[in-house]
Amino acid sequence: MKKLKISAILLFTILLNSQMASAQFGDLLNKAGKAVTSKGAQALGLDKILKEPEAISTSFDDVNQEGKEMPEFESNAQFLPFSTLAKNGDDGYVLQSGHFEMINKSYCLKAGTYAPSAGDGYMYAPILGKKKDIVTAILKSAEKHPEVQQTDIQMLLWTIIAKTKFIDYSGPVKETALRLLTAKQILQLEGGALGILPIDVMAKAKSSMPPAIQKIFEAENNIRQLVSSGNYTYGEFEKYAIMAGMAPVRADIPSGIWTLHPDGYYIRYYPSGYSQTKVQIYVPESLIKDRGSKKLIYDATDDIACPANTGSQRLAQTNEPIK
């Protein structure tokens, strides 16, 4: 086993130094990974499964509600499109004083939950969790690869949220990962990943979980099974990831509520389903004056539109407008 681990490290080093194609890296990683895999999911301890941290852990508890404003705040404002702002390279937009809005591509980051619906309140929270750097990298890389469909990117994100091992990837999701991620990032996917859990392991794990968590746990295992099959459609992914029906609305966090961002501007979200979100930003003139020559940057890939209702979906934001 020790020799196999050393071989895997040597393989990775050689691939990085020689800058081999991503597809070739993926094939070799699959072979190396399968060689060092233990006897399967049965060997996993139940404690390990239950204690494995979430790939993305952001929840409404991570929202700072200090300084929030109700939807009526700045109600007479005229919003300019984000396209009037200068881009900050690959890192979003350089903000000016005023009101700006964009309808951008967004992505669901929690399987086994309800899609956004009218009346849902969403507030800003940062991306947190073990795979936050990988998720951010995908969102940034996608902007450079307009040929990659949004649905393919969403499937890839669902597999990462579901803690899928890269050696289990197959079909379009694997192709998307190889196109959007570097060799080093693909190797990082293995950390904390789970295999497909047998029925008896699933049953034991679920028995110690609240009902809402059971649904998410089961949805993630179904996604791992689906992507490993190599024979799937986006609709099949969506069936497991998106629950039918509507989550109850929280009256204290209405749709259109403003969050005071840590950088001093105000931001709010109006999702349309989970695949697109209208983002509005208000930048007080005093904020720009106080910063002097220091640029104020809005990089949506650092943000999550977080629902007040924990049964609804967290939505990753992007710098990509819906054309």
Side-chain angles (χ1 to χ4, degrees):
M1 182 63 74
K2 187 174 181 180
K3 289 182 179 179
L4 285 170
K5 288 181 179 178
I6 294 172
S7 297
I9 294 170
L10 288 173
L11 171 63
F12 177 59
T13 304
I14 293 169
L15 287 170
L16 286 181
N17 290 338
S18 61
Q19 297 181 329
M20 295 177 70
S22 291
Q24 186 177 358
F25 169 79
D27 290 339
L28 288 170
L29 179 61
N30 278 344
K31 294 174 183 176
K34 287 173 181 175
V36 299
T37 298
S38 66
K39 292 182 180 180
Q42 293 92 333
L44 285 172
L46 189 57
D47 287 346
K48 175 177 170 55
I49 293 171
L50 295 176
K51 292 178 181 178
E52 188 61 46
E54 290 186 82
I56 296 298
S57 61
T58 303
S59 72
F60 200 70
D61 290 338
D62 299 307
V63 172
N64 185 350
Q65 297 190 49
E66 291 184 15
K68 69 183 178 184
E69 296 286 351
M70 290 296 109
E72 297 75 21
F73 180 64
E74 296 293 308
S75 59
N76 296 322
Q78 297 295 314
F79 288 85
L80 295 174
F82 266 73
S83 58
T84 62
L85 297 169
K87 291 294 292 289
N88 188 54
D90 296 331
D91 297 322
Y93 299 84
V94 181
L95 292 176
Q96 303 173 358
S97 61
H99 302 78
F100 305 93
E101 68 179 9
M102 171 176 63
I103 298 176
N104 59 252
K105 294 179 182 179
S106 56
Y107 295 92
C108 167
L109 287 184
K110 194 160 191 175
T113 50
Y114 295 101
S117 58
D120 281 347
Y122 279 74
M123 298 185 74
Y124 160 83
I127 293 185
L128 303 171
K130 192 168 185 176
K131 293 292 191 293
K132 66 177 183 178
D133 292 339
I134 296 293
V135 169
T136 300
I138 289 170
L139 299 177
K140 287 185 179 296
S141 183
E143 193 172 359
K144 303 172 188 176
H145 291 277
E147 77 281 3
V148 180
Q149 297 297 309
Q150 186 176 2
T151 50
D152 289 330
I153 297 168
Q154 178 64 81
M155 287 192 292
L156 173 60
L157 290 171
W158 276 329
T159 64
I160 292 171
I161 299 306
K163 308 184 188 76
T164 310
K165 288 179 174 291
F166 184 75
I167 59 171
D168 290 333
Y169 277 30
S170 61
V173 170
K174 182 177 180 180
E175 295 173 10
T176 303
L178 291 169
R179 187 178 293 270
L180 297 183
L181 293 171
T182 65
K184 182 177 180 180
Q185 289 165 342
I186 287 173
L187 193 67
Q188 290 171 348
L189 286 178
E190 293 296 288
L194 294 175
I196 300 166
L197 303 181
I199 295 175
D200 59 334
V201 176
M202 282 290 296
K204 288 179 182 178
K206 287 170 61 177
S207 66
S208 62
M209 298 175 178
I213 303 301
Q214 288 181 21
K215 292 176 182 177
I216 294 170
F217 188 69
E218 188 168 12
E220 290 179 350
N221 196 53
N222 287 335
I223 286 172
R224 291 194 293 271
Q225 289 179 317
L226 193 61
V227 72
S228 68
S229 73
N231 182 23
Y232 50 79
T233 65
Y234 182 75
E236 290 173 310
F237 263 84
E238 192 175 48
K239 178 181 70 175
Y240 293 130
I242 312 300
M243 288 178 59
M246 294 171 53
V249 174
R250 275 183 55 170
D252 60 323
I253 308 292
S255 175
I257 192 170
W258 292 90
T259 307
L260 179 59
H261 192 277
D263 289 338
Y265 56 85
Y266 292 87
I267 186 167
R268 66 177 172 182
Y269 308 95
Y270 290 104
S272 256
Y274 58 85
S275 60
Q276 64 181 56
T277 303
K278 178 191 281 189
V279 177
Q280 293 186 327
I281 285 179
Y282 163 52
V283 184
E285 186 174 354
S286 58
L287 177 62
I288 298 299
K289 287 183 178 179
D290 291 344
R291 294 180 68 89
S293 60
K294 187 178 180 182
K295 292 191 293 187
L296 179 63
I297 306 301
Y298 169 66
D299 185 354
T301 62
D302 293 330
D303 296 9
I304 284 184
C306 197
N309 191 302
T310 56
S312 295
Q313 294 164 357
R314 304 171 297 206
L315 301 177
Q317 302 300 303
T318 72
N319 299 316
E320 291 189 82
I322 298 288
K323 299 202 172 20

